[in-house]
Amino acid sequence: MITACSASVDHEQKNPDPTGWRMSGGGWEEFRKQGDATVLHEGRPTARLAPRADSSVGYGTWMNSLYPFPYSNKRIRISIYTRTAGATRRADFWARVQGKGSPGDGYGLAGKFVRLPATSDWQRHEIVMDVPGDAQWVQYGIGIAGPGMMWMDQAKIEVVDESVPLTAGLRSTLTAGK
């Protein structure tokens, strides 16, 4: 089994971002991501995404982009733990497989957005999808628009066998015509 986990956030470093993680989205500059040693998950510090000011109109996402080669022609499960507080406009966890001509903000070859409640305690979410041989990227992350905050921990991607069902409602060009 191939497994790739995001690194734990090291709050002692000047740049707490795990390798490969970056801010994106149309309003990415309106949001700040940082390590949070006050909100713990299973006793560990977490990562927080929140607007820089009280009123935010854009959408910001903290995302990871991976080369698809270890996952090509395989089924993967991407999972993450999230927590939200006062995210009244929009908060989500998402994952997608991007092809050469995929739009930068769409589902690509396969993808799913999971809407999160405005306020929630820690919850585990997962998206299961197939990665075709011509995939260019596997991407996943958390996003928020408007007020509120969200936290994440234990982002993980793993290869699973085909007995694990695809996520319900998954948008995919891979399954078109099947």
Side-chain angles (χ1 to χ4, degrees):
M1 174 194 322
I2 300 170
T3 302
C5 299
S6 60
S8 298
V9 176
D10 182 351
H11 300 282
E12 305 303 318
Q13 295 179 0
K14 293 183 182 192
N15 180 3
D17 287 355
T19 302
W21 288 86
R22 65 182 173 91
M23 286 297 298
S24 189
W28 70 268
E29 66 281 347
E30 297 177 37
F31 295 88
R32 177 177 62 226
K33 82 295 188 211
Q34 63 188 66
D36 192 334
T38 64
V39 175
L40 305 178
H41 179 246
E42 297 181 354
R44 288 184 311 273
T46 57
R48 179 178 65 209
L49 181 60
R52 294 181 182 273
D54 289 340
S55 62
S56 160
V57 295
Y59 174 79
T61 186
W62 194 17
M63 64 180 281
N64 197 354
S65 294
L66 303 171
Y67 288 112
F69 311 118
Y71 314 110
S72 292
N73 299 309
K74 296 181 175 130
R75 182 162 292 178
I76 60 171
R77 174 175 37 221
I78 299 173
S79 61
I80 193 168
Y81 284 87
T82 65
R83 177 178 171 177
T84 56
T88 55
R89 189 166 154 226
R90 178 180 172 189
D92 51 44
F93 159 59
W94 58 270
R96 65 186 176 206
V97 176
Q98 296 289 77
K100 187 174 183 176
S102 296
D105 62 352
Y107 291 102
L109 299 174
K112 174 83 175 175
F113 283 78
V114 177
R115 296 291 177 163
L116 305 176
T119 299
S120 65
D121 203 355
W122 288 105
Q123 296 179 349
R124 183 178 182 274
H125 307 280
E126 66 178 44
I127 297 172
V128 177
M129 60 188 155
D130 292 330
V131 180
D134 63 344
Q136 300 291 306
W137 294 101
V138 173
Q139 299 176 324
Y140 60 97
I142 59 172
I144 190 168
M149 293 183 280
M150 62 186 310
W151 293 263
M152 65 168 263
D153 189 35
Q154 293 179 334
K156 181 179 177 181
I157 182 171
E158 61 189 322
V159 172
V160 296
D161 64 45
E162 290 194 12
S163 69
V164 177
L166 294 171
T167 297
L170 180 75
R171 294 195 184 185
S172 174
T173 59
L174 304 175
T175 57
K178 285 188 178 181

